[in-house]
Amino acid sequence: MGSFAVWSFRLGTCLSVTFMLLALPFMREAQAHAYSASYSTLELTKSATYLTFAIDELSAIELAGGDEDGNGMYDQAEFDAVKDRLVSVFDDHLTVTIGGETKSWTQLDSLVLERRGDESKVVMIAQYPPIADMMPFSFKDSLYKDDKKTNYVNLLTSLYGPQKSTAALSAGDRTWTIALSGDEYAALSEWPQKDHAADSSEQGSGEPAVQPNTGKTDVTSGWVSFLKLGMNHILGGYDHLLFLFSLLIARQTFKQYAGMITAFTVAHSVTLSLTVLGIIDVSPAIVEPLIALSICFVAVDNIIRPNVSHRWVLTFLFGLIHGMGFADILKEMDIPKSQLATDLISFNAGIEIVQLAIVAVLVPLLYRLHRYKFSRQAVVAGSGLALAMGAIWLVERVSSFL
């Protein structure tokens, strides 16, 4: 075997463990809290700006502490003790700017802990000064800005007059900006359209330094933010990436690879859309363990079957489960019907871009790996590690929902 062949073989063999080694430092975060999401609604009126901000309980604990018994939840006494600290954190990191001048909230209406089924959130309602005619208004979220381990997104819905827009504030794009003048400003309501103090459950979606659909809008901004959200979502979803790796490492023809990837894409796109549309609603207590189980199943299949066949069927079935997992972050968004199709397509396209990039890099290297006599051992070793990680996630997820 020549030097180039030796190098290629070693590189190919390393593929079976490289993914695992890269993921191991993040393994705890991947299960515990690799992705943090908040939901904000901004209502712009001539009398005030109303912000409803909701963030999951675990994120609140990470940001402000206060979980004295270490069970990952606040009891009422713990929450009451940490309220002032949470107020300070939100005040420091949720910023409203009007005409280039930063504005503090004029009134903090409420800060409560809401529990609904399996979900717990800290919800804050605050009032800021009103938007001014012909002056730029911006909302910036800098939570988790310096935390490289947590992928954070603020899903923002903005209401202004008869219009509504959505965007995803994530990664380096954390500012939403709008400027209203003339008829646009005149169309704003004098008072809010709903009682914010009475309804703290309404959440939305968010985006980066851009303008929604007004006369001065960057019309690409909304779909670009959801495209980026989809890309970041799968990059932070180590279980989805490990499932993809487990599918690819087994020896297959190009036709088999193409059929498998197509089946996975179609399946997860269907359940992603149906879940966001509210047509199906399967609890995370079922979906998350099944995603971990899918990794274990494929890994075992790789170990016991040297030559896999009809894998597209297996991939399609598990793809339906993964699609519901992808949709979790979007389920609570109040996306306007006029933007729903665009946002969904953009989010899904972001997932596909990353997925296809991974396939484009791995498949040629895997073809080279499978040319050598020790390729089977590499597949078994890589699948064994995937099985171990999937099993750990499965146990942890089942335990967390009991």
Side-chain angles (χ1 to χ4, degrees):
M1 186 182 295
S3 60
F4 179 76
V6 171
W7 177 86
S8 299
F9 171 68
R10 289 174 179 173
L11 177 62
T13 303
C14 285
L15 289 173
S16 62
V17 296
T18 296
F19 182 92
M20 317 301 171
L21 294 176
L22 291 174
L24 282 173
F26 307 102
M27 186 172 174
R28 181 173 298 274
E29 289 87 351
Q31 162 60 23
H33 215 219
Y35 219 109
S36 176
S38 63
Y39 300 86
S40 296
T41 300
L42 274 175
E43 184 172 4
L44 310 179
T45 74
K46 292 180 180 178
S47 60
T49 298
Y50 297 86
L51 169 66
T52 301
F53 176 80
I55 192 167
D56 65 277
E57 185 178 21
L58 182 54
S59 291
I61 292 172
E62 290 175 343
L63 293 167
D67 179 23
E68 299 299 332
D69 56 13
N71 66 348
M73 299 175 63
Y74 286 130
D75 58 35
Q76 193 58 49
E78 289 172 335
F79 181 70
D80 290 340
V82 82
K83 267 188 174 182
D84 288 343
R85 203 179 312 162
L86 283 168
V87 168
S88 178
V89 169
F90 295 156
D91 189 28
D92 289 342
H93 294 89
L94 303 176
T95 308
V96 166
T97 303
I98 301 174
E101 183 179 349
T102 300
K103 304 290 186 180
S104 298
W105 56 52
T106 57
Q107 182 174 321
L108 181 62
D109 292 335
S110 65
L111 181 67
V112 298
L113 178 64
E114 289 189 352
R115 286 207 165 90
R116 298 186 179 182
D118 297 330
E119 298 183 354
S120 300
K121 294 179 180 177
V122 173
V123 182
M124 181 189 75
I125 300 174
Q127 296 183 38
Y128 292 83
I131 189 170
D133 189 8
M134 300 186 69
M135 282 192 179
F137 173 98
S138 68
F139 172 71
K140 181 178 180 180
D141 182 340
S142 58
L143 290 169
Y144 285 108
K145 196 68 175 179
D146 299 321
D147 187 341
K148 305 304 181 184
K149 295 181 179 180
T150 299
N151 291 309
Y152 173 73
V153 59
N154 185 333
L155 299 169
L156 173 72
T157 293
S158 55
L159 311 172
Y160 43 102
Q163 300 192 70
K164 176 189 288 187
S165 69
T166 58
L169 303 173
S170 63
D173 297 315
R174 298 288 202 90
T175 306
W176 178 85
T177 303
I178 190 172
L180 300 178
S181 61
D183 293 341
E184 298 165 342
Y185 181 78
L188 291 181
S189 304
E190 290 289 343
W191 302 101
Q193 300 174 23
K194 65 185 183 69
D195 184 351
H196 290 264
D199 183 6
S200 62
S201 64
E202 222 181 285
Q203 290 109 28
S205 138
E207 148 56 359
V210 292
Q211 287 110 313
N213 49 352
T214 71
K216 298 180 176 58
T217 295
D218 176 357
V219 294
T220 65
S221 62
W223 72 262
V224 168
S225 71
F226 280 90
L227 181 74
K228 292 179 180 178
L229 178 61
M231 296 174 70
N232 291 330
H233 192 50
I234 190 170
L235 286 172
Y238 304 111
D239 48 2
H240 299 295
L241 293 176
L242 185 56
F243 177 72
L244 182 61
F245 173 83
S246 300
L247 289 173
L248 293 174
I249 194 174
R251 185 187 189 107
Q252 295 164 84
T253 64
F254 178 80
K255 184 177 180 181
Q256 287 176 309
Y257 278 131
M260 180 178 65
I261 296 303
T262 300
F264 185 60
T265 297
V266 171
H268 78 64
S269 298
V270 168
T271 48
L272 167 63
S273 300
L274 293 178
T275 302
V276 174
L277 291 171
I279 297 174
I280 60 175
D281 184 15
V282 181
S283 170
I286 297 174
V287 173
E288 293 303 317
L290 284 178
I291 289 175
L293 182 62
S294 71
I295 298 170
C296 298
F297 192 99
V298 174
V300 170
D301 191 42
N302 290 341
I303 292 170
I304 66 177
R305 287 206 300 165
N307 298 305
V308 299
S309 60
H310 304 294
R311 176 153 278 188
W312 70 268
V313 178
L314 176 68
T315 305
F316 182 86
L317 295 175
F318 281 129
L320 296 173
I321 303 298
H322 281 254
M324 289 183 275
F326 288 140
D328 273 351
I329 197 169
L330 302 180
K331 284 170 66 174
E332 296 187 54
M333 293 176 61
D334 185 19
I335 302 177
K337 291 182 180 179
S338 60
Q339 299 178 27
L340 186 57
T342 300
D343 290 349
L344 265 177
I345 291 171
S346 299
F347 181 77
N348 201 50
I351 292 173
E352 295 311 317
I353 288 172
V354 172
Q355 179 178 287
L356 291 176
I358 292 171
V359 171
V361 170
L362 283 183
V363 167
L365 295 175
L366 287 169
Y367 269 130
R368 185 170 294 278
L369 167 66
H370 291 305
R371 290 171 54 187
Y372 300 106
K373 62 180 182 179
F374 296 111
S375 63
R376 177 62 186 160
Q377 289 89 327
V379 171
V380 171
S383 298
L385 289 172
L387 174 61
M389 292 179 70
I392 291 171
W393 282 331
L394 178 60
V395 172
E396 289 182 338
R397 292 177 183 187
V398 169
S399 300
S400 68
F401 288 115
L402 291 179

